[in-house]
CSV table of all heavy atoms in Angstrom, one decimal:
chain,number,residue,atom,x,y,z
A,1,PHE,N,-6.9,-8.8,-1.1
A,1,PHE,CA,-5.9,-7.9,-1.7
A,1,PHE,C,-4.5,-8.5,-1.7
A,1,PHE,O,-4.1,-9.3,-0.8
A,1,PHE,CB,-5.9,-6.6,-0.9
A,1,PHE,CG,-7.1,-5.8,-1.0
A,1,PHE,CD1,-8.1,-5.9,0.0
A,1,PHE,CD2,-7.3,-4.9,-2.0
A,1,PHE,CE1,-9.2,-5.1,-0.1
A,1,PHE,CE2,-8.4,-4.1,-2.1
A,1,PHE,CZ,-9.4,-4.2,-1.2
A,2,LEU,N,-3.7,-8.1,-2.7
A,2,LEU,CA,-2.3,-8.4,-2.8
A,2,LEU,C,-1.6,-7.1,-3.1
A,2,LEU,O,-1.9,-6.5,-4.1
A,2,LEU,CB,-2.0,-9.5,-3.9
A,2,LEU,CG,-0.6,-9.7,-4.2
A,2,LEU,CD1,0.1,-10.4,-3.0
A,2,LEU,CD2,-0.4,-10.6,-5.4
A,3,LEU,N,-0.7,-6.8,-2.2
A,3,LEU,CA,0.1,-5.6,-2.4
A,3,LEU,C,1.6,-6.0,-2.8
A,3,LEU,O,2.2,-6.7,-2.0
A,3,LEU,CB,0.2,-4.8,-1.0
A,3,LEU,CG,1.0,-3.5,-1.0
A,3,LEU,CD1,0.4,-2.5,-2.0
A,3,LEU,CD2,1.0,-2.9,0.4
A,4,ASP,N,2.0,-5.5,-3.9
A,4,ASP,CA,3.3,-5.9,-4.4
A,4,ASP,C,4.1,-4.6,-4.6
A,4,ASP,O,3.9,-3.8,-5.5
A,4,ASP,CB,3.2,-6.6,-5.8
A,4,ASP,CG,4.5,-7.2,-6.3
A,4,ASP,OD1,5.5,-6.6,-6.0
A,4,ASP,OD2,4.4,-8.3,-6.9
A,5,GLU,N,5.1,-4.4,-3.7
A,5,GLU,CA,5.9,-3.2,-3.8
A,5,GLU,C,6.8,-3.2,-5.0
A,5,GLU,O,7.0,-2.1,-5.6
A,5,GLU,CB,6.8,-3.1,-2.5
A,5,GLU,CG,7.6,-1.8,-2.4
A,5,GLU,CD,8.5,-1.7,-1.2
A,5,GLU,OE1,8.5,-2.7,-0.4
A,5,GLU,OE2,9.1,-0.6,-1.0
A,6,ALA,N,7.4,-4.3,-5.4
A,6,ALA,CA,8.3,-4.4,-6.5
A,6,ALA,C,7.6,-3.9,-7.8
A,6,ALA,O,8.2,-3.2,-8.6
A,6,ALA,CB,8.9,-5.8,-6.7
A,7,GLN,N,6.4,-4.4,-8.0
A,7,GLN,CA,5.6,-4.0,-9.2
A,7,GLN,C,4.7,-2.8,-9.0
A,7,GLN,O,4.1,-2.3,-10.0
A,7,GLN,CB,4.8,-5.2,-9.7
A,7,GLN,CG,5.6,-6.4,-10.0
A,7,GLN,CD,4.8,-7.5,-10.7
A,7,GLN,OE1,4.1,-7.2,-11.7
A,7,GLN,NE2,4.8,-8.7,-10.2
A,8,ARG,N,4.7,-2.3,-7.8
A,8,ARG,CA,3.9,-1.1,-7.4
A,8,ARG,C,2.4,-1.3,-7.8
A,8,ARG,O,1.8,-0.5,-8.5
A,8,ARG,CB,4.4,0.2,-8.0
A,8,ARG,CG,5.7,0.7,-7.3
A,8,ARG,CD,6.1,2.1,-7.8
A,8,ARG,NE,5.1,3.1,-7.3
A,8,ARG,CZ,5.1,3.6,-6.1
A,8,ARG,NH1,6.0,3.3,-5.2
A,8,ARG,NH2,4.2,4.6,-5.8
A,9,THR,N,1.9,-2.4,-7.4
A,9,THR,CA,0.5,-2.8,-7.7
A,9,THR,C,-0.2,-3.2,-6.5
A,9,THR,O,0.3,-3.8,-5.6
A,9,THR,CB,0.4,-3.9,-8.7
A,9,THR,OG1,1.1,-5.1,-8.3
A,9,THR,CG2,1.0,-3.5,-10.1
A,10,LEU,N,-1.5,-2.9,-6.4
A,10,LEU,CA,-2.5,-3.4,-5.4
A,10,LEU,C,-3.6,-4.0,-6.2
A,10,LEU,O,-4.2,-3.4,-7.1
A,10,LEU,CB,-3.0,-2.2,-4.5
A,10,LEU,CG,-4.2,-2.7,-3.6
A,10,LEU,CD1,-3.6,-3.6,-2.5
A,10,LEU,CD2,-4.8,-1.4,-3.0
A,11,THR,N,-3.8,-5.3,-6.0
A,11,THR,CA,-4.9,-6.0,-6.7
A,11,THR,C,-5.9,-6.6,-5.7
A,11,THR,O,-5.6,-6.9,-4.6
A,11,THR,CB,-4.3,-7.2,-7.6
A,11,THR,OG1,-3.6,-8.1,-6.8
A,11,THR,CG2,-3.4,-6.6,-8.7
A,12,ARG,N,-7.1,-6.6,-6.2
A,12,ARG,CA,-8.2,-7.2,-5.4
A,12,ARG,C,-8.8,-8.4,-6.3
A,12,ARG,O,-9.3,-8.1,-7.3
A,12,ARG,CB,-9.3,-6.2,-5.1
A,12,ARG,CG,-10.5,-6.8,-4.3
A,12,ARG,CD,-11.6,-5.8,-4.1
A,12,ARG,NE,-12.7,-6.4,-3.4
A,12,ARG,CZ,-13.1,-6.0,-2.2
A,12,ARG,NH1,-12.5,-4.9,-1.6
A,12,ARG,NH2,-14.1,-6.5,-1.5
A,13,ASN,N,-8.6,-9.6,-5.8
A,13,ASN,CA,-9.0,-10.8,-6.5
A,13,ASN,C,-8.4,-10.8,-7.9
A,13,ASN,O,-9.1,-11.2,-8.9
A,13,ASN,CB,-10.5,-10.9,-6.6
A,13,ASN,CG,-11.1,-11.2,-5.2
A,13,ASN,OD1,-10.6,-11.9,-4.4
A,13,ASN,ND2,-12.3,-10.5,-5.0
A,14,GLY,N,-7.2,-10.3,-8.0
A,14,GLY,CA,-6.5,-10.3,-9.3
A,14,GLY,C,-6.7,-9.1,-10.2
A,14,GLY,O,-6.1,-8.9,-11.2
A,15,VAL,N,-7.6,-8.2,-9.8
A,15,VAL,CA,-7.9,-7.0,-10.6
A,15,VAL,C,-7.3,-5.8,-9.9
A,15,VAL,O,-7.4,-5.6,-8.7
A,15,VAL,CB,-9.5,-6.7,-10.6
A,15,VAL,CG1,-9.8,-5.5,-11.4
A,15,VAL,CG2,-10.2,-7.9,-11.3
A,16,GLU,N,-6.5,-5.1,-10.7
A,16,GLU,CA,-5.7,-4.0,-10.2
A,16,GLU,C,-6.6,-2.8,-9.6
A,16,GLU,O,-7.6,-2.4,-10.2
A,16,GLU,CB,-4.8,-3.4,-11.2
A,16,GLU,CG,-3.8,-2.4,-10.7
A,16,GLU,CD,-2.6,-2.1,-11.6
A,16,GLU,OE1,-2.5,-2.8,-12.6
A,16,GLU,OE2,-1.8,-1.2,-11.3
A,17,VAL,N,-6.2,-2.3,-8.5
A,17,VAL,CA,-6.9,-1.2,-7.8
A,17,VAL,C,-6.1,0.1,-8.0
A,17,VAL,O,-4.9,0.1,-7.7
A,17,VAL,CB,-7.1,-1.5,-6.3
A,17,VAL,CG1,-7.8,-0.3,-5.6
A,17,VAL,CG2,-8.0,-2.7,-6.1
A,18,HIS,N,-6.7,1.1,-8.6
A,18,HIS,CA,-5.9,2.3,-8.8
A,18,HIS,C,-5.7,3.1,-7.5
A,18,HIS,O,-6.6,3.3,-6.8
A,18,HIS,CB,-6.6,3.2,-9.8
A,18,HIS,CG,-5.9,4.5,-10.0
A,18,HIS,ND1,-4.7,4.7,-10.7
A,18,HIS,CD2,-6.3,5.8,-9.6
A,18,HIS,CE1,-4.4,5.9,-10.7
A,18,HIS,NE2,-5.3,6.6,-10.0
A,19,LEU,N,-4.4,3.5,-7.3
A,19,LEU,CA,-4.0,4.4,-6.2
A,19,LEU,C,-3.1,5.5,-6.8
A,19,LEU,O,-2.3,5.2,-7.7
A,19,LEU,CB,-3.3,3.6,-5.1
A,19,LEU,CG,-4.1,2.6,-4.3
A,19,LEU,CD1,-3.1,1.9,-3.3
A,19,LEU,CD2,-5.2,3.3,-3.5
A,20,THR,N,-3.2,6.7,-6.2
A,20,THR,CA,-2.2,7.7,-6.5
A,20,THR,C,-0.9,7.3,-5.9
A,20,THR,O,-0.8,6.5,-5.0
A,20,THR,CB,-2.6,9.1,-6.0
A,20,THR,OG1,-2.7,9.0,-4.5
A,20,THR,CG2,-4.0,9.5,-6.5
A,21,PRO,N,0.3,7.8,-6.5
A,21,PRO,CA,1.6,7.4,-6.0
A,21,PRO,C,1.8,7.6,-4.5
A,21,PRO,O,2.3,6.7,-3.8
A,21,PRO,CB,2.5,8.3,-6.8
A,21,PRO,CG,1.8,8.6,-8.1
A,21,PRO,CD,0.4,8.7,-7.7
A,22,LYS,N,1.3,8.7,-3.9
A,22,LYS,CA,1.5,8.9,-2.5
A,22,LYS,C,0.6,8.0,-1.6
A,22,LYS,O,1.0,7.5,-0.6
A,22,LYS,CB,1.2,10.3,-2.1
A,22,LYS,CG,2.3,11.3,-2.6
A,22,LYS,CD,3.6,10.9,-2.0
A,22,LYS,CE,4.7,11.9,-2.5
A,22,LYS,NZ,6.1,11.5,-2.1
A,23,ALA,N,-0.6,7.6,-2.1
A,23,ALA,CA,-1.4,6.7,-1.4
A,23,ALA,C,-0.8,5.3,-1.4
A,23,ALA,O,-0.8,4.6,-0.4
A,23,ALA,CB,-2.8,6.6,-2.1
A,24,PHE,N,-0.2,4.9,-2.5
A,24,PHE,CA,0.5,3.7,-2.6
A,24,PHE,C,1.7,3.6,-1.6
A,24,PHE,O,1.9,2.7,-0.9
A,24,PHE,CB,1.0,3.4,-4.0
A,24,PHE,CG,1.6,2.0,-4.2
A,24,PHE,CD1,0.8,0.9,-4.5
A,24,PHE,CD2,2.9,1.8,-4.0
A,24,PHE,CE1,1.3,-0.4,-4.6
A,24,PHE,CE2,3.5,0.5,-4.1
A,24,PHE,CZ,2.7,-0.6,-4.4
A,25,ASP,N,2.5,4.7,-1.6
A,25,ASP,CA,3.6,4.8,-0.7
A,25,ASP,C,3.2,4.7,0.8
A,25,ASP,O,3.8,4.1,1.6
A,25,ASP,CB,4.4,6.1,-0.9
A,25,ASP,CG,5.1,6.2,-2.3
A,25,ASP,OD1,5.3,5.1,-2.9
A,25,ASP,OD2,5.4,7.3,-2.7
A,26,LEU,N,2.1,5.4,1.1
A,26,LEU,CA,1.6,5.4,2.5
A,26,LEU,C,1.1,4.0,2.8
A,26,LEU,O,1.3,3.5,4.0
A,26,LEU,CB,0.4,6.4,2.6
A,26,LEU,CG,-0.2,6.5,4.0
A,26,LEU,CD1,0.8,6.9,5.0
A,26,LEU,CD2,-1.4,7.6,3.9
A,27,LEU,N,0.4,3.3,1.9
A,27,LEU,CA,-0.1,1.9,2.2
A,27,LEU,C,1.1,1.0,2.4
A,27,LEU,O,1.0,0.1,3.3
A,27,LEU,CB,-0.9,1.5,1.0
A,27,LEU,CG,-1.5,0.1,1.2
A,27,LEU,CD1,-2.5,0.0,2.4
A,27,LEU,CD2,-2.3,-0.3,-0.1
A,28,ILE,N,2.2,1.1,1.7
A,28,ILE,CA,3.4,0.3,1.9
A,28,ILE,C,3.9,0.5,3.3
A,28,ILE,O,4.2,-0.5,4.0
A,28,ILE,CB,4.5,0.7,0.9
A,28,ILE,CG1,4.2,0.2,-0.5
A,28,ILE,CG2,5.8,0.1,1.3
A,28,ILE,CD1,4.2,-1.3,-0.6
A,29,VAL,N,4.0,1.7,3.8
A,29,VAL,CA,4.5,1.9,5.2
A,29,VAL,C,3.6,1.3,6.2
A,29,VAL,O,4.0,0.6,7.1
A,29,VAL,CB,4.6,3.5,5.4
A,29,VAL,CG1,5.0,3.7,6.9
A,29,VAL,CG2,5.7,4.1,4.5
A,30,LEU,N,2.2,1.5,6.1
A,30,LEU,CA,1.3,1.0,7.0
A,30,LEU,C,1.3,-0.5,7.1
A,30,LEU,O,1.2,-1.1,8.1
A,30,LEU,CB,-0.1,1.6,6.8
A,30,LEU,CG,-0.3,3.1,7.0
A,30,LEU,CD1,-1.7,3.5,6.5
A,30,LEU,CD2,-0.1,3.4,8.4
A,31,VAL,N,1.3,-1.1,5.9
A,31,VAL,CA,1.3,-2.6,5.8
A,31,VAL,C,2.6,-3.2,6.4
A,31,VAL,O,2.6,-4.2,7.1
A,31,VAL,CB,1.0,-3.1,4.4
A,31,VAL,CG1,1.2,-4.6,4.2
A,31,VAL,CG2,-0.4,-2.7,3.9
A,32,ALA,N,3.7,-2.6,6.0
A,32,ALA,CA,5.0,-3.1,6.5
A,32,ALA,C,5.1,-3.0,8.0
A,32,ALA,O,5.8,-3.8,8.6
A,32,ALA,CB,6.1,-2.3,5.8
A,33,GLU,N,4.5,-2.0,8.6
A,33,GLU,CA,4.6,-1.8,10.1
A,33,GLU,C,3.5,-2.4,10.9
A,33,GLU,O,3.5,-2.4,12.1
A,33,GLU,CB,4.7,-0.3,10.4
A,33,GLU,CG,5.9,0.4,9.7
A,33,GLU,CD,7.2,-0.1,10.2
A,33,GLU,OE1,7.3,-0.7,11.4
A,33,GLU,OE2,8.2,0.0,9.5
A,34,ALA,N,2.4,-2.9,10.2
A,34,ALA,CA,1.3,-3.5,10.9
A,34,ALA,C,1.7,-4.6,11.9
A,34,ALA,O,2.6,-5.4,11.6
A,34,ALA,CB,0.3,-4.1,9.8
A,35,PRO,N,1.0,-4.6,13.1
A,35,PRO,CA,-0.1,-3.7,13.5
A,35,PRO,C,0.3,-2.5,14.3
A,35,PRO,O,-0.5,-1.9,15.0
A,35,PRO,CB,-0.9,-4.7,14.4
A,35,PRO,CG,0.2,-5.5,15.1
A,35,PRO,CD,1.3,-5.7,14.0
A,36,ARG,N,1.6,-2.1,14.2
A,36,ARG,CA,2.1,-1.0,15.0
A,36,ARG,C,1.5,0.3,14.5
A,36,ARG,O,1.2,0.5,13.3
A,36,ARG,CB,3.6,-0.8,14.8
A,36,ARG,CG,4.3,0.3,15.5
A,36,ARG,CD,5.8,0.3,15.4
A,36,ARG,NE,6.3,0.7,14.1
A,36,ARG,CZ,6.5,1.9,13.7
A,36,ARG,NH1,6.3,2.9,14.6
A,36,ARG,NH2,7.0,2.2,12.5
A,37,VAL,N,1.2,1.2,15.5
A,37,VAL,CA,0.7,2.5,15.2
A,37,VAL,C,1.8,3.4,14.7
A,37,VAL,O,2.9,3.5,15.4
A,37,VAL,CB,0.0,3.2,16.4
A,37,VAL,CG1,-0.4,4.6,16.1
A,37,VAL,CG2,-1.1,2.3,16.9
A,38,VAL,N,1.7,4.0,13.5
A,38,VAL,CA,2.7,4.8,12.9
A,38,VAL,C,2.4,6.3,13.2
A,38,VAL,O,1.3,6.7,12.8
A,38,VAL,CB,2.9,4.5,11.4
A,38,VAL,CG1,4.1,5.3,10.9
A,38,VAL,CG2,3.1,3.0,11.2
A,39,SER,N,3.2,7.0,13.8
A,39,SER,CA,2.9,8.4,14.1
A,39,SER,C,2.8,9.2,12.9
A,39,SER,O,3.4,8.9,11.8
A,39,SER,CB,4.0,9.0,15.0
A,39,SER,OG,5.2,9.2,14.3
A,40,LYS,N,2.1,10.4,13.0
A,40,LYS,CA,2.0,11.3,11.9
A,40,LYS,C,3.3,11.8,11.4
A,40,LYS,O,3.6,11.9,10.2
A,40,LYS,CB,1.1,12.4,12.3
A,40,LYS,CG,-0.4,12.1,12.6
A,40,LYS,CD,-1.2,13.3,13.0
A,40,LYS,CE,-2.6,12.9,13.3
A,40,LYS,NZ,-3.4,14.1,13.7
A,41,ASN,N,4.2,12.1,12.4
A,41,ASN,CA,5.5,12.6,12.1
A,41,ASN,C,6.3,11.6,11.2
A,41,ASN,O,7.0,12.0,10.3
A,41,ASN,CB,6.3,13.0,13.3
A,41,ASN,CG,5.8,14.2,14.0
A,41,ASN,OD1,5.1,15.1,13.4
A,41,ASN,ND2,6.1,14.4,15.3
């Protein structure tokens, strides 16, 4: 996978993976903070 925040894309082996806007936003937070546990709050 390649996650590109600027282009708001997630690709797998070059093929774009569809995500809803909130799923993409959530993935950005989790990847940016990895491996830290991010609280629900």
Side-chain angles (χ1 to χ4, degrees):
F1 293 94
L2 173 66
L3 179 64
D4 190 326
E5 182 180 9
Q7 298 191 53
R8 288 191 67 83
T9 57
L10 173 69
T11 56
R12 180 185 180 117
N13 294 324
V15 180
E16 188 166 354
V17 178
H18 174 73
L19 291 176
T20 60
K22 288 304 181 185
F24 187 89
D25 293 341
L26 181 58
L27 182 60
I28 286 290
V29 174
L30 292 174
V31 171
E33 299 299 333
R36 180 173 74 87
V37 176
V38 186
S39 71
K40 294 179 182 180
N41 287 339

